[in-house]
Amino acid sequence: MKKPELLAPAGDFEKLKTAIHYGADAVYLGDSRFSLRGKAGNFSEDEMREAIRYARERGVRVYVTVNIFPHNRDLPDVLNHLEFLDDVRPDAVILSDPGLFALLSERAPAIDVHISTQANVTNARAAKFWERLGARRVVLSRELSIEEIREIRKETTLELEVFVHGSICLSYSGRCYISSFLASRSANRGECTNSCRWNYVLMEEKRQGEYFPVYEDDRGTYVLSSKDLCMIHHLGILADAGIESFKIEGRMKGINYVAGVVKAYREAIDAIGGPVDSVVEKRWMRELAMFSSRGFTTGMFFGRQADVDYNFDEESYRMSHELIGVVLEVKGEDAKISLKNRLDTGDHVEFLSPGLEERSFAVEGMRSDDSEHIDSARNEGIIFMKVPEGVRKRDIIRRARNFPALKSQGSGG
């Protein structure tokens, strides 16, 4: 069996480099004007050109999102962007609007088209429709079961892609108007405020100002908030059903998330078809719990999403570790590190490096960029310190949050 592609989010250039470093086969990114993640860092045209060059030199594919639902006033800028894409030649463009499909076919016919999940492809006839138009791939709706995916696979030669990890939108295939109504920011134009994650209470029409909890939590409830999708234990089943690409949600997430998810799913994909190591599988879940999530669900792949997969009356986000920094250079035992958080001598840190997972190292000393010994350093600074063997350039450093310091496994400084 050919191993499915691991497709990672690249909300900005740093996240793109992180995704590639930890093993992504492909990345998806966009210009904020035409992408459904308008609040991500995104890419200017010059940055996109450089990103495509950077990825291609490393054998990684780049898919550009142009998946807004455009109005007439958007079309002149869209046309200019399509002409730019025809020049830089990404591996594919992800879109959902039929008009944009026609424009891309006219202005940049050499670029492959991937049909976005926003197009709501839930049946074989819809897949064959896009196939006849010349699409290369379809990102299937999140509302499909594995059995339905098998049926679609039998009827089309299109490449099939599914989301396997990340946030789940409560609206049908992401077509949401809650943000527009409550905050005048359209999710369908990349400006979603995640209104479904807000705290909600019940108020009776004639009792203004009297608030009642929907459930037992008097602080409110995340009544519309689903747990995050996590299919890391079921990738073999999806591959057997005919999926060619496993997609990770998260262009607005930080590099801590990108690094951890891509690393875990890279290992899981590479393990498809081989013996299952339960110890490693448990480590994957611990690694996925290190950064912010809402808990995990398998979504609708195995049928209707269970009621327990919604965060009715608990805190929405949880995480066990926080990002400390990124390794910029390694020379022998010394590393140059870009800090993303405060770090003090005596802190225990973990390196997201192969073979060092879940090992804690004590920071015994740091130096500033002018070689002065320091005991404390704040975020956005550059420091130098000793690191264990096996740490690589671009590896990230984490620290446990709200937990007792782990017993040191060796010196990290």
Side-chain angles (χ1 to χ4, degrees):
M1 180 189 297
K2 180 181 178 182
K3 296 293 175 67
E5 168 189 84
L6 175 56
L7 176 55
D12 58 31
F13 215 136
E14 184 179 28
K15 295 171 191 176
L16 177 142
K17 291 179 178 178
T18 300
I20 293 173
H21 175 69
Y22 280 103
D25 298 308
V27 295
Y28 62 102
L29 53 86
D31 182 312
S32 58
R33 296 172 296 170
F34 315 111
S35 169
L36 286 184
R37 287 296 180 269
K39 297 302 179 181
N42 291 307
F43 293 76
S44 67
E45 289 189 346
D46 287 343
E47 289 172 332
M48 190 176 293
R49 185 186 300 273
E50 176 63 15
I52 292 172
R53 182 200 63 78
Y54 180 92
R56 194 155 286 155
E57 287 178 349
R58 290 157 178 80
V60 173
R61 295 175 289 278
V62 177
Y63 309 142
V64 176
T65 58
V66 189
N67 56 348
I68 63 167
F69 294 103
H71 291 250
N72 287 328
R73 62 181 178 273
D74 300 312
L75 295 182
D77 286 339
V78 169
L79 284 170
N80 289 335
H81 187 56
L82 295 182
E83 290 173 358
F84 163 76
L85 293 179
D86 188 42
D87 180 44
V88 298
R89 294 293 174 91
D91 294 276
V93 169
I94 305 170
L95 54 77
S96 54
D97 181 75
L100 286 185
F101 188 108
L103 286 174
L104 184 67
S105 299
E106 295 169 6
R107 299 303 176 97
I111 301 177
D112 286 341
V113 178
H114 294 180
I115 303 303
S116 170
T117 189
Q118 298 286 126
N120 282 31
V121 175
T122 56
N123 61 78
R125 289 287 182 174
K128 291 175 73 66
F129 168 81
W130 290 111
E131 183 180 2
R132 286 195 298 272
L133 288 182
R136 175 68 178 272
R137 176 185 295 185
V138 61
V139 187
L140 293 173
S141 167
R142 289 186 177 97
E143 289 75 30
L144 290 175
S145 69
I146 292 176
E147 288 308 311
E148 289 175 307
I149 291 172
R150 291 184 188 276
E151 294 169 2
I152 293 173
R153 174 73 289 163
K154 293 176 183 177
E155 298 293 330
T156 180
T157 61
L158 281 173
E159 294 178 0
L160 301 182
E161 176 181 309
V162 295
F163 282 93
V164 294
H165 195 92
S167 299
I168 298 178
C169 180
L170 266 289
S171 293
Y172 197 81
S173 286
R175 293 191 173 191
C176 178
Y177 291 93
I178 299 176
S179 180
S180 291
F181 290 139
L182 296 184
S184 298
R185 284 169 48 182
S186 173
N188 300 307
R189 296 180 60 80
E191 299 174 346
C192 182
T193 59
N194 287 312
S195 307
C196 59
R197 315 294 183 192
W198 295 354
N199 267 338
Y200 290 94
V201 293
L202 177 67
M203 185 177 71
E204 199 274 326
E205 180 181 9
K206 296 181 179 179
R207 299 182 184 182
Q208 296 293 320
E210 293 187 35
Y211 301 99
F212 304 94
V214 179
Y215 286 86
E216 294 181 0
D217 186 348
D218 59 6
R219 295 170 298 177
T221 178
Y222 298 92
V223 66
L224 302 177
S225 181
S226 169
K227 293 181 178 179
D228 291 349
L229 181 65
C230 178
M231 288 292 289
I232 197 165
H233 295 316
H234 309 289
L235 300 183
I237 298 174
L238 288 173
D240 184 65
I243 299 300
E244 280 96 350
S245 180
F246 293 152
K247 188 172 192 173
I248 296 169
E249 182 276 339
R251 275 188 288 161
M252 294 180 66
K253 304 286 180 62
I255 60 171
N256 191 23
Y257 170 94
V258 174
V261 177
V262 171
K263 179 180 180 296
Y265 276 84
R266 174 76 276 154
E267 293 178 12
I269 291 173
D270 291 344
I272 291 176
V276 177
D277 188 327
S278 61
V279 174
V280 174
E281 281 196 326
K282 291 176 181 177
R283 173 172 58 78
W284 292 339
M285 292 308 297
R286 288 194 297 269
E287 288 185 0
L288 294 175
M290 287 183 181
F291 43 78
S292 180
S293 77
R294 304 178 184 92
F296 297 123
T297 173
T298 54
M300 298 186 181
F301 282 114
F302 297 101
R304 179 182 177 274
Q305 195 167 343
D307 289 344
V308 294
D309 286 350
Y310 295 89
N311 292 313
F312 291 124
D313 54 3
E314 59 183 279
E315 293 295 335
S316 182
Y317 291 99
R318 76 261 340 238
M319 63 187 293
S320 67
H321 286 63
E322 60 190 357
L323 178 66
I324 293 300
V326 179
V327 177
L328 300 180
E329 294 178 11
V330 179
K331 292 182 179 180
E333 295 181 337
D334 290 321
K336 181 181 181 180
I337 295 165
S338 172
L339 284 183
K340 306 295 183 181
N341 214 323
R342 176 171 175 156
L343 184 64
D344 298 311
T345 299
D347 284 355
H348 285 70
V349 298
E350 300 173 20
F351 297 88
L352 195 62
S353 309
L356 299 178
E357 298 94 343
E358 301 187 303
R359 293 181 60 189
S360 175
F361 296 87
V363 177
E364 297 177 358
M366 298 178 285
R367 304 188 311 278
S368 65
D369 54 6
D370 58 5
S371 297
E372 178 186 359
H373 176 79
I374 53 177
D375 291 320
S376 180
R378 298 185 179 277
N379 59 313
E380 303 304 327
I382 300 293
I383 65 162
F384 296 81
M385 71 182 214
K386 289 183 179 180
V387 295
E389 183 179 356
V391 173
R392 310 163 299 172
K393 178 181 178 180
R394 297 217 62 82
D395 281 349
I396 69 168
I397 307 170
R398 292 170 166 171
R399 176 175 57 207
R401 300 175 70 242
N402 304 321
F403 291 93
L406 299 178
K407 183 178 179 181
S408 177
Q409 301 285 327
S411 174

